[in-house]
Amino acid sequence: MTRRIAVVGAGMAAARFAERFQAFGGDAEVTLYGAEPRAPYNRVLLADVLTGRYAADDLTLPAGEARLRTGCEVTGLDTVAHTLELADGERVPYDELVLATGAEPVACGELGRGRVHVVRTADDGEALAGAAARARRAVVIGGGVLGVSVARALASCGLPVTIVHRAPYLVERDLDGPAGELLRRGLAGLGVEVRTGVTVREAEPGAGEGEGEGAYGAVRVELSDGHTLDADLVVAACGVTPRTALARAAGLPVRTGVVVDDRLSCAPGVYAIGDCAEHAGRTHGTAGPAWEQADVLAARLSGASPDAVYEGSRPYARLSAGPLEYAAFGDAAAAGEDGLDVLRIADATRGSYKKLVLRGDRIAGAVLLGDLATVGALARAYERGEPVPSDPFHLLTSPTSQGAS
């Protein structure tokens, strides 16, 4: 009988696994079950659907020769009988199971009955693009990578935009205070106001001007500092949380995500990869680790490298939002710890900032904003654990510096 691998989810991790499984010469029938009606696509580029740079259909990802069952929601797992239950009642047998259920947007406080958008799916992106075409002012709740990307995209559509962010500066998971301030200035130049250190108490229907969905001021956003913002378009970008309901109901180990070991296994014959997976106490929520996990699992299950293990992913984040660019990796926020040295170069006039964190002669982390010429060399030296030259200042100024290539 043909070996059957069922993949629950048809997102970026699932597509990568299917594509690599075939590339490695795997011999099995791989089926991707996706609740969305689309083939797998690149969620990272959804903000660019707003700017018109891409149509949603342009984001499609390769999935090898895997069978795609789109618009097909999996509602139950029986890991003893090795079957999936689908929303229409069908039960489907499998031999091995890969959970790639992804993540879902985190609720942003009490948002009441206001017209609040999220950006997680292609349909979300298309709905937001349509709403932006009718809007006069937008509020984005959350100043992380997604919030900044969406705010920049909405501003490029000609909308005045306000970001509301609870942390003291933008993208605090990746940047430090000075870099966050430069990013705020860059956004201001694009027509984006940033309010940090505040939260949204509620978003509710406002008085508005006119009637219907195009009414200006149709949503009244009340902030924790007492200010109110009137808008007709509100976007919630407060992060994501792993989708684990299926795994939990099936009795699989779940903490924040589905708990996996170095083989990416959570039970005999059952694996989890991508945003839903928790490895060594950590979930990632970004594309890089998801693809690394997919590569390891594809190598194992295809037989190309049956002993392959996932040893974790080094933190790496990158934003390319029009004229706003940054890259951050490693322990870039660890300045001040014993045994660490920090180098900084800042040019407020040009809007660039570079920070290098060293532990001895090894790179512990880095932040580059506005000028990414050296990011490739720095990232390679960091990933390989290579020693830096005696004068590491040049690592921030020359993309071909010795010891960083």
Side-chain angles (χ1 to χ4, degrees), residues 7 19 38 43 51 93 151 156 182 191 193 310 313 331 334 361:
V7 183
E19 188 273 330
R38 301 173 185 267
R43 297 185 195 277
T51 66
S156 74
L182 274 181
E193 177 190 16
Y310 176 66
S313 297
D331 206 4
D361 62 353

Side-chain angles (χ1 to χ4, degrees), residues 83-183:
T83 58
L84 308 178
E85 182 175 346
L86 308 184
D88 63 3
E90 180 184 0
R91 289 186 178 273
V92 183
Y94 68 83
D95 297 304
E96 289 158 297
L97 175 64
V98 179
L99 299 178
T101 49
E104 56 193 355
V106 173
C108 297
E110 298 297 326
L111 297 183
R113 293 177 293 111
R115 206 164 56 251
V116 178
H117 292 257
V118 295
V119 185
R120 184 64 185 173
T121 69
D123 286 348
D124 293 336
E126 291 183 332
L128 184 55
R134 301 187 298 269
R136 291 169 57 182
R137 184 172 189 87
V139 171
V140 176
I141 305 171
V145 176
L146 178 61
V148 169
S149 298
V150 170
R152 195 279 306 182
L154 291 172
S156 74
C157 298
L159 287 178
V161 183
T162 300
I163 293 177
V164 177
H165 191 48
R166 67 187 309 155
Y169 56 88
L170 294 168
V171 201
E172 74 284 356
R173 289 184 61 180
D174 300 335
L175 306 181
D176 60 9
E181 172 60 18
L182 274 181
L183 181 57

